[in-house]
Amino acid sequence: MTPTYTPPGSRSTAAILALYVKVGACLLALGADARRILVAGELGEGRTQVDDLLAADQLVTFASLLELLALMVAAVLFLRWQAVAHRNLPALGDREPRDTVAAGLASWFVPGLNLVRPVRVVADLWRAGERTLATPTLLRVWWASWL
């Protein structure tokens, strides 16, 4: 029986868009933190009011919640993409993947294991898609930034 290939299509697009939203939320949070620091400095110098600092704190709270929500949505969409990509491994020529789909997904949540295993799972997906044995530098940089 020939393994079937399921195009990740909309799942990969949704995951990519969610990751862009996450980056935007992160930049908003950084800006809000910078604004709070500036307002706190101005308050210390007597150039602003406490209300301005409270408003800056509210912006930081909003940005942080938005960033957390964006992270959760991006994580769910990324894991949905990973599951489809993992199921496609046999159709891409990897007849016996090192991990099952469930093990690949669970590796993100098991303490200790989640420091080393997810990058291996994603590297397997990359190698199957690119038909190469090398793990690209970009993947290593991504994992180092994630940790």
Side-chain angles (χ1 to χ4, degrees):
M1 183 171 148
T2 304
T4 57
Y5 177 81
T6 304
S10 62
R11 289 182 193 225
S12 59
T13 302
I16 290 168
L17 288 175
L19 290 170
Y20 278 127
V21 170
K22 168 63 174 109
V23 168
C26 184
L27 292 174
L28 176 65
L30 285 172
D33 284 337
R35 173 78 179 131
R36 180 171 56 181
I37 290 168
L38 290 173
V39 171
E42 291 173 357
L43 183 64
E45 296 170 357
R47 295 185 306 171
T48 192
Q49 303 295 317
V50 173
D51 289 342
D52 295 331
L53 185 59
L54 292 174
D57 280 342
Q58 288 176 341
L59 180 60
V60 168
T61 300
F62 170 76
S64 298
L65 291 173
L66 182 63
E67 187 178 12
L68 179 61
L69 178 64
L71 174 64
M72 291 187 306
V73 169
V76 167
L77 293 174
F78 176 82
L79 292 175
R80 289 185 61 195
W81 166 84
Q82 181 183 317
V84 169
H86 204 109
R87 280 188 210 101
N88 283 335
L89 286 176
L92 293 172
D94 189 352
R95 299 288 178 211
E96 295 182 27
R98 288 196 275 187
D99 299 300
T100 64
V101 174
L105 295 175
S107 68
W108 289 94
F109 301 100
V110 177
L113 189 61
N114 63 356
L115 298 175
V116 293
R117 192 67 162 276
V119 71
R120 191 188 87 180
V121 171
V122 174
D124 289 346
L125 297 176
W126 184 295
R127 285 192 290 271
E130 293 294 319
R131 302 197 190 277
T132 180
L133 295 177
T135 301
T137 303
L138 178 62
L139 187 60
R140 291 187 186 112
V141 168
W142 165 74
W143 189 246
S145 69
W146 180 253
L147 291 177

